[in-house]
Amino acid sequence: YKYLKPIGGLLVYLTIPKNSILILTNTEYVQFFLPVLLLKFLKKHKIYIVVHHLLTEERKNKFKDRFECKFIKLADYIVTVSEASMESLKRKSIIIEDIPVINPGMNFPVLNEKIHFSNDVFNILFVGSIEERKGLIYAVKSLEKLKGKNIILNVVGEVLQDNYFNTVKKEIDTLGLKLFVLFHGKVNQRELENIYIKSDIFLFLSLWEGYGMVIAEALSFGLPIIGSTIPTMHYFVDDGVNGFIVDPLKIDAITEKIETLRSDTLLR
């Protein structure tokens, strides 16, 4: 399938009307690098690229890195979703001056207060696709010392990396956590809203994120956050006020923060 992407991009190039505006994301550089290069040469179109986050921030590949950077530089206009992503563009010398930052919109109502506390089970929520950069395995490992305290980790999101998912499941079996981790898969908005409402805290241990839409969603439901030390986290979480910021690689620190919020209802 990935080898057909450039062909699809060329078909777009051949059929696009003159004086069009192309709105693309940087993740489409494989498919549209050549078409955008040709369109740039003709100077009959405007190229608008939205950068969520640089793919090179989550995987190191110098060859792909150069192509992604060159692709973004071909744009007539560049916008991004967060100040953190804008700083990444500056570090890569893709931009020199500030560009427009447009935060994503949110469909959920903003409650800003917790409307539910579990009486018997302490529900931890993890929302995100199951892939290595989201850090689910660190969340799983943090539960090992909390067995027997009626804690459930609810995982919502589709599997993007089968091998990583199998690694996580193996870790769950090894640590004896099969009864304490529930996979809900991909759910619709109403189901997700109900899960947010029934949760007690939100765990977000991503290794890299351009914005972190689910953090905004969790905060809108009044959930305390335990989040990783990525740049974008500091735009959402004031450490010790509406959540805790921890190094996702320090499992004991994550465990400690979970137990702090579990045992102290007033603080929560």
Side-chain angles (χ1 to χ4, degrees), residues 130 205 262:
I130 299 178
L205 301 175
R262 186 197 70 83

Side-chain angles (χ1 to χ4, degrees), residues 49-240:
I49 290 183
V50 181
V51 179
H52 182 273
H53 70 280
L54 293 174
L55 295 181
T56 52
E57 297 285 1
E58 59 181 87
R59 51 109 176 95
K60 304 301 179 183
N61 185 307
K62 290 184 179 180
F63 179 76
K64 292 181 178 179
D65 186 2
R66 286 197 294 268
F67 267 97
E68 184 180 12
C69 292
K70 287 181 181 294
F71 177 70
I72 299 172
K73 285 182 177 181
L74 290 172
D76 297 294
Y77 303 99
I78 305 171
V79 300
T80 187
V81 299
S82 71
E83 287 81 0
S85 289
M86 182 169 65
E87 291 303 317
S88 294
L89 292 170
K90 288 181 178 179
R91 284 197 301 273
K92 293 287 185 179
S93 299
I94 297 172
I95 60 172
I96 299 174
E97 299 179 346
D98 289 356
I99 59 173
V101 174
I102 304 173
N103 299 139
M106 185 165 59
N107 293 325
F108 292 107
V110 178
L111 301 176
N112 282 330
E113 62 180 50
K114 194 73 189 76
I115 60 173
H116 169 84
F117 281 114
S118 303
N119 294 320
D120 49 355
V121 176
F122 186 71
N123 282 292
I124 303 170
L125 179 57
F126 180 102
V127 178
S129 53
I130 299 178
E131 54 183 316
E132 189 172 359
R133 74 178 176 92
K134 294 291 186 178
L136 175 58
I137 198 161
Y138 309 124
V140 169
K141 289 181 177 180
S142 70
L143 297 183
E144 182 182 10
K145 296 180 181 179
L146 297 172
K147 288 186 293 186
K149 295 190 176 182
N150 293 326
I151 291 177
I152 297 293
L153 174 63
N154 295 279
V155 181
V156 176
E158 63 180 322
V159 177
L160 293 187
Q161 294 177 348
D162 290 328
N163 289 339
Y164 182 71
F165 184 42
N166 291 332
T167 299
V168 171
K169 289 194 295 183
K170 184 177 179 180
E171 188 70 21
I172 290 171
D173 291 339
T174 300
L175 298 177
L177 295 171
K178 205 165 186 178
L179 299 177
F180 305 97
V181 182
L182 300 180
F183 290 96
H184 297 266
K186 188 176 181 179
V187 300
N188 61 40
Q189 182 172 322
R190 178 169 291 185
E191 290 172 318
L192 181 56
E193 183 175 343
N194 288 331
I195 293 172
Y196 272 123
I197 290 172
K198 294 177 180 178
S199 298
D200 294 293
I201 66 170
F202 190 80
L203 201 53
F204 188 86
L205 301 175
S206 182
L207 301 177
W208 184 259
E209 205 71 35
Y211 181 68
M213 192 66 198
V214 292
I215 312 172
E217 291 175 356
L219 287 171
S220 78
F221 285 93
L223 293 180
I225 309 294
I226 297 177
S228 59
T229 50
I230 55 175
T232 191
M233 185 65 63
H234 297 278
Y235 298 110
F236 292 103
V237 177
D238 188 357
D239 191 31

